[in-house]
């Protein structure tokens, strides 16, 4: 993780409540796919949700019957998590140094948070805390730029602020881990103002980059012309990557 990305990662705590209110959830098919690829059911599974934020994914994991613990580095996000999920345990930390015993976890999940880690550290940490046969699940939930108005908006963002608005969570084969992949498309209908509030929770808009307020104001006008009834349909693509921890670790990694 670069210095710049670290700064962006810390920015979310300034908008934790808005993040929880307006960031999209996840389709139920995602959790069915994790269950299928991992090879075990959710009920009673020991799950650690790393970079849990305000608990959007964590609450869904808990609802599936998992024994889930959240890990979150940001003070503001952690406080909002506790406010919204008082029955789910949370510890402060990050994926580069997990505060869990070796071999104590069935499943590690990273819901749009893998890109904030340093894979040279987070992959060995995942291998350490996962039991043999346990699974590492990494997923992103990005706007579908195959949809015309979303592609146009993304192009305007990159023209105004440069590339890197959507930071990919893709995990590659590392340390003997081989990732299987699933893609899931879904959508939700929201008011234009809710869409703009969601946009404003992305790190690019939270770090004080000049021109962001003007950009959002211009988007309000454009979207109002495109969707005169004041509502629009956000389309998303969830990319899930899941790897099983080998039964035996290679001697070089011991």
């Amino acid at each position: 993780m670069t210095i710049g990305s670290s700064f962006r990662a810390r920015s979310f705590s300034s908008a934790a409540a808005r993040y929880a209110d307006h960031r999209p959830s996840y389709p139920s098919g995602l959790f069915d796919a994790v269950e299928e690829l991992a090879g075990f059911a959710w009920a009673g599974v020991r799950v650690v949700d790393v970079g849990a934020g305000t608990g959007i994914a964590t609450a869904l994991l808990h609802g599936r019957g998992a024994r889930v613990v959240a890990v979150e580095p940001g003070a503001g996000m952690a406080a909002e998590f506790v406010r919204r999920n008082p029955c789910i345990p949370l510890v402060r930390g990050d994926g580069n140094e997990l505060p869990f015993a070796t071999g104590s976890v069935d499943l590690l999940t990273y819901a749009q948070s893998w890109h904030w880690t340093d894979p040279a550290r987070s992959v060995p940490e995942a291998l350490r805390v996962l039991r043999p046969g346990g699974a590492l699940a990494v997923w992103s939930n990005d706007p579908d730029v195959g949809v015309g108005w979303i592609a146009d908006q993304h192009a305007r963002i990159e023209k105004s602020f440069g590339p890197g608005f959507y930071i990919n969570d893709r995990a590659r084969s590392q340390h003997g881990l081989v990732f299987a992949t699933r893609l899931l498309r879904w959508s939700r209908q929201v008011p234009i103002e809710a869409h703009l509030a969601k946009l404003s929770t992305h790190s690019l808009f939270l770090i004080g980059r000049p021109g962001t307020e003007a950009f959002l104001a211009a988007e309000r006008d454009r979207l109002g012309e495109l969707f005169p009834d004041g509502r629009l349909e956000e389309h998303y693509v969830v990319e899930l990557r899941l790897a099983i921890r080998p039964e035996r670790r290679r001697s070089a990694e011991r």
Side-chain angles (χ1 to χ4, degrees):
M1 183 169 61
T2 66
I3 294 174
S5 64
S6 177
F7 178 60
R8 288 178 67 167
R10 292 193 301 270
S11 68
F12 295 109
S13 283
S14 66
R18 190 163 79 248
Y19 187 106
D21 286 340
H22 296 293
R23 280 295 183 104
S25 186
Y26 301 98
S28 61
L30 166 64
F31 302 98
D32 296 336
V34 172
E35 197 173 56
E36 174 194 344
L37 293 174
F40 46 76
W42 284 108
V45 169
R46 299 166 297 176
V47 180
V48 171
D49 187 31
V50 187
T54 61
I56 294 172
T58 321
L60 295 172
L61 295 167
H62 179 75
R64 288 269 178 150
R67 295 160 50 198
V68 61
V69 177
V71 177
E72 170 55 38
M77 297 290 266
E80 191 66 21
F81 180 102
V82 171
R83 188 176 77 82
R84 292 175 183 254
N85 304 281
C87 296
I88 301 177
L90 177 141
V91 297
R92 298 290 298 280
D94 62 50
N96 295 326
E97 191 173 355
L98 293 168
F100 299 96
T102 297
S104 63
V105 175
D106 297 313
L107 177 67
L108 274 176
T109 59
Y110 284 80
Q112 291 186 261
S113 59
W114 182 256
H115 53 265
W116 301 123
T117 74
D118 174 5
R121 299 170 63 193
S122 57
V123 174
E125 273 293 88
L127 289 167
R128 181 185 66 78
V129 304
L130 284 171
R131 65 163 173 81
L136 168 64
V138 174
W139 65 80
S140 60
N141 191 29
D142 293 326
D144 186 352
V145 293
V147 176
W149 77 266
I150 296 175
D152 291 344
Q153 183 180 78
H154 182 64
R156 290 192 294 272
I157 291 171
E158 292 203 330
K159 181 178 180 181
S160 296
F161 306 108
F165 178 54
Y166 302 127
I167 305 175
N168 199 289
D169 264 329
R170 179 166 296 175
R172 296 176 294 277
S173 176
Q174 298 182 55
H175 295 263
L177 292 175
V178 178
F179 287 86
T181 302
R182 291 284 189 278
L183 292 177
L184 300 93
R185 286 178 165 81
W186 71 286
S187 66
R188 66 172 188 171
Q189 290 192 352
V190 297
I192 290 173
E193 289 302 321
H195 171 73
L196 293 170
K198 189 273 295 188
L199 269 188
S200 75
T201 67
H202 285 272
S203 58
L204 173 64
F205 289 91
L206 294 174
I207 60 176
R209 191 78 66 85
T212 52
E213 290 299 323
F215 181 89
L216 291 172
E219 283 301 292
R220 179 177 290 105
D221 293 338
R222 290 190 183 95
L223 295 174
E225 293 177 2
L226 281 175
F227 306 102
D229 66 348
R231 295 184 64 85
L232 52 78
E233 188 170 11
E234 295 176 339
H235 295 259
Y236 292 93
V237 179
V238 176
E239 181 176 14
L240 165 67
R241 292 179 176 263
L242 185 143
I244 304 296
R245 182 199 184 281
E247 293 293 329
R248 293 184 178 181
R249 296 175 65 178
R250 297 178 299 177
S251 59
E253 295 170 3
R254 291 174 184 165

